[in-house]
Amino acid sequence: FVSACHSGLAGETFASAGVPHVVCCQQESELKDAAALAFTRQFYLALAVGRTVQAAFDQGCKAVRATPNLKDPEKEMEKFVLLPKDGNHDVPVFNARSVPEWPSRRLKETKSRSQRRLLRGTRSMYFGIARNSELSVRNMMQEDPSPTPPQFFLGREIDMYNVLRLILDRRLVSLLSEPGVGCSSLACALCHYINERRNTIVLIDKIIFVRAKQKRSGGRPGSLLDPFYDKLVEEGLARPLEDGDDIENMIFRCLKNVKAFVVFDGTNHLGGNEEVQDFSLFLSDLFRETQNVRVLLTGHKSLGIASGEHQYPLGPLNFGNTVRLFANLCPHLHTPREREDLFSSIVIDWEKAPLSSTDRGLDLRTRHLFGLLGDGVPSRIETAAYLISREDLRNLESTGDI
C-alpha cells in the first residue's frame, strides 16, 4: 500500500517486480488527507476481518465517496488505483475465515470484569468521535450506518447528547444551522454513536442515512425519496421497485414495524415550496403508517412542519474548540506538542475558552482572533488553517496576531 501523492510509478514498479496486490495513487494526482485517512481505515479493517483485496479496495473507495466535507469525493475516490489491473484480487490477504463479530462470543464470555471495564473506558475516550468506531464492532447494529464524520470532529459532545435525547423522546427533530457549521457532521457522528450501542439504545434497531440529491423531474420529492428507497433496498428491508409500485406505500409497508432512525441530510436541497410541502406530507403519512420510525432532518431552515417537529439550532464552536480545530487542521503543525503550544499561546485566559463569537464577554483580542480563525464555523476554520503561511503562523503564536 503506497499511501502517497503521485505514487503511480512507485506502484507500477512494485507490480512489475511481482507484488500481486498494490494500492497506490494516480501518478498525476494529489490525495487529500481526509480521503487518504478514510480509505486507509476502511481498507485495512476490511482486510483484517477476512475480506478479499478487491472487496477491501471497493470498501475503501466507498468510504472516500461518503466522507463529509470533502470537495468532489467522487474525484478523490477515483485517484486510488489497484494494481496489476489484470491481476486476480479476489483473494484474502490473511488466510483466515471472515469474522462476522469481534471479539467472538466465546472470548467475550471469558474476559474478566477488569478487562471489560478497560474496554469500556477506552471507548468512552472517543465519545462523539467516530475515528475509532470502525474497530468497535462488538456492539454494532450494522456495518456502515452513515458517512464517516470528519477526522477532527470535536466540541460537539453536549450538542450530540441533546440531539440524541430529543430523538429518543420525539419522532421528528430538525437540526438547523448556517452553512458550514456542521449539521451533517454532527448527524454522522450521532449515527455512529448510536450504532455502537446496540444493547443500550433499545428504541433503535436500524439506522438509515439519506443524503439529498439534486431534484429529479416528476411529481414527487425525488431528491430524498428515491435515495431513501435505494437505502432500504441496500439494507434488505425492501425489494427493487417494479412498474406500478407506489414508492411511498412501499416505504410505509417495509418500515411498519421497524425501529428505525432515519436521517434526511440536506433538506435545504428540496426544490421550492411544492416539493417541501410534498415532503412534509410524506413525513406526516410516514408517522401515521409506522409505529417506531424516528426522523432527524438537517438543513439551514425549518420545513415548517407544525405537527410534532422539534427544532435544535446548532451554533458555531466556542473559542477554545475553534483554536483546537485550527491547530489539528493546520498542515504546518505536525506533533501534539506543537498544537498544544499554539493553543496555550492563543488561549491565555481560560475563562474565554467556552465563549462563542457572539457572546458579550469577549474582549477585543479574543474577538479579533475569532475572526482570524473562522468565527467558530468549521468550514471557515478549515480554510483558515490551510491558507495560513508559516510566517503568519509564527506571528500568531508569538504575538497573537497576523
Side-chain angles (χ1 to χ4, degrees):
F1 183 18
V2 189
S3 182
C5 303
H6 312 295
S7 57
L9 289 178
E12 292 283 1
T13 301
F14 281 114
S16 299
V19 178
H21 314 292
V22 180
V23 176
C24 59
C25 173
Q26 293 175 346
Q27 181 63 28
E28 66 276 12
S29 299
E30 292 185 359
L31 286 175
K32 299 291 186 183
D33 289 344
L37 182 64
F39 180 91
T40 302
R41 282 180 181 160
Q42 195 62 37
F43 178 70
Y44 280 129
L45 176 65
L47 289 179
V49 298
R51 302 291 192 271
T52 66
V53 175
Q54 184 66 60
F57 180 83
D58 293 341
Q59 288 188 25
C61 291
K62 181 180 177 182
V64 174
R65 185 175 56 193
T67 301
N69 297 333
L70 180 63
K71 185 177 180 180
D72 203 350
E74 289 281 349
K75 183 178 179 180
E76 287 296 317
M77 178 189 71
E78 293 171 357
K79 294 178 181 179
F80 291 91
V81 180
L82 179 59
L83 301 175
K85 291 186 177 180
D86 58 350
N88 177 22
H89 304 296
D90 291 322
V91 293
V93 171
F94 302 107
N95 187 20
R97 290 177 298 175
S98 182
V99 180
E101 179 184 31
W102 179 260
S104 66
R105 190 174 303 275
R106 178 179 298 178
L107 183 58
K108 286 190 287 186
E109 292 173 353
T110 58
K111 279 187 176 293
S112 67
R113 291 183 179 179
S114 61
Q115 287 175 310
R116 290 196 295 269
R117 284 196 298 268
L118 178 60
L119 284 171
R120 287 195 297 267
T122 302
R123 287 198 301 273
S124 68
M125 289 163 37
Y126 294 93
F127 173 82
I129 302 176
R131 59 187 168 188
N132 199 41
S133 64
E134 291 90 347
L135 301 180
S136 301
V137 298
R138 187 167 69 116
N139 198 28
M140 279 190 173
M141 297 178 189
Q142 58 203 71
E143 182 178 346
D144 188 20
S146 76
T148 304
Q151 177 185 3
F152 299 108
F153 179 77
L154 52 82
R156 295 302 192 189
E157 293 84 359
I158 294 176
D159 291 309
M160 191 157 67
Y161 170 79
N162 289 335
V163 175
L164 175 59
R165 181 173 53 83
L166 288 172
I167 287 294
L168 297 179
D169 187 53
R170 302 168 183 266
R171 297 189 69 185
L172 177 61
V173 177
S174 290
L175 181 60
L176 307 174
S177 76
E178 295 297 321
V181 170
C183 274
S184 295
S185 298
L186 178 58
C188 292
L190 181 61
C191 288
H192 283 267
Y193 183 81
I194 293 172
N195 189 52
E196 295 172 9
R197 287 155 179 83
R198 177 181 60 191
N199 293 334
T200 55
I201 301 181
V202 297
L203 295 178
I204 297 173
D205 283 339
K206 182 66 68 173
I207 301 170
I208 304 165
F209 189 97
V210 183
R211 179 158 287 167
K213 297 181 180 179
Q214 295 297 321
K215 183 181 179 182
R216 300 181 185 179
S217 60
R220 65 173 186 250
S223 58
L224 284 172
L225 291 200
D226 289 325
F228 183 24
Y229 195 83
D230 291 343
K231 283 285 186 180
L232 295 177
V233 174
E234 183 181 321
E235 293 294 333
L237 296 173
R239 60 166 174 78
L241 288 173
E242 299 176 355
D243 292 340
D245 285 339
D246 182 278
I247 188 172
E248 294 189 15
N249 288 334
M250 294 290 289
I251 291 172
F252 302 152
R253 188 182 308 168
C254 69
L255 291 179
K256 187 173 184 63
N257 297 310
V258 179
K259 293 189 287 186
F261 173 46
V262 183
V263 178
F264 290 107
D265 181 39
T267 57
N268 45 286
H269 293 301
L270 290 171
N273 294 331
E274 183 178 352
E275 189 171 1
V276 170
Q277 184 178 5
D278 288 343
F279 184 67
S280 300
L281 291 174
F282 163 76
L283 289 179
S284 298
D285 292 340
L286 176 66
F287 293 133
R288 185 177 63 252
E289 297 293 334
T290 63
Q291 299 178 0
N292 301 301
V293 174
R294 301 166 190 275
V295 174
L296 175 67
L297 309 177
T298 74
H300 303 327
K301 61 180 181 180
S302 171
L303 297 183
I305 304 173
S307 177
E309 178 189 17
H310 188 93
Q311 300 175 19
Y312 186 89
L314 185 66
L317 296 172
N318 63 33
F319 182 54
N321 286 319
T322 295
V323 178
R324 288 189 181 94
L325 182 58
F326 177 88
N328 278 313
L329 293 174
C330 182
H332 305 309
L333 301 176
H334 305 292
T335 66
R337 180 60 182 270
E338 290 176 340
R339 300 183 185 106
E340 291 171 7
D341 289 344
L342 179 66
F343 182 88
S344 300
S345 65
I346 295 178
V347 185
I348 57 178
D349 184 353
W350 278 93
E351 293 183 356
K352 301 295 189 297
L355 298 180
S356 69
S357 58
T358 57
D359 285 335
R360 295 182 178 181
L362 289 180
D363 54 34
L364 291 178
R365 175 186 178 275
T366 306
R367 192 177 301 278
H368 176 64
L369 287 169
F370 241 137
L372 291 177
L373 303 183
D375 282 324
V377 178
S379 63
R380 299 181 197 168
I381 297 170
E382 181 179 19
T383 300
Y386 278 100
L387 292 181
I388 193 170
S389 65
R390 291 183 182 274
E391 181 180 357
D392 285 342
L393 182 64
R394 285 193 294 267
N395 291 336
L396 181 63
E397 189 168 5
S398 59
T399 67
D401 202 353
I402 296 178

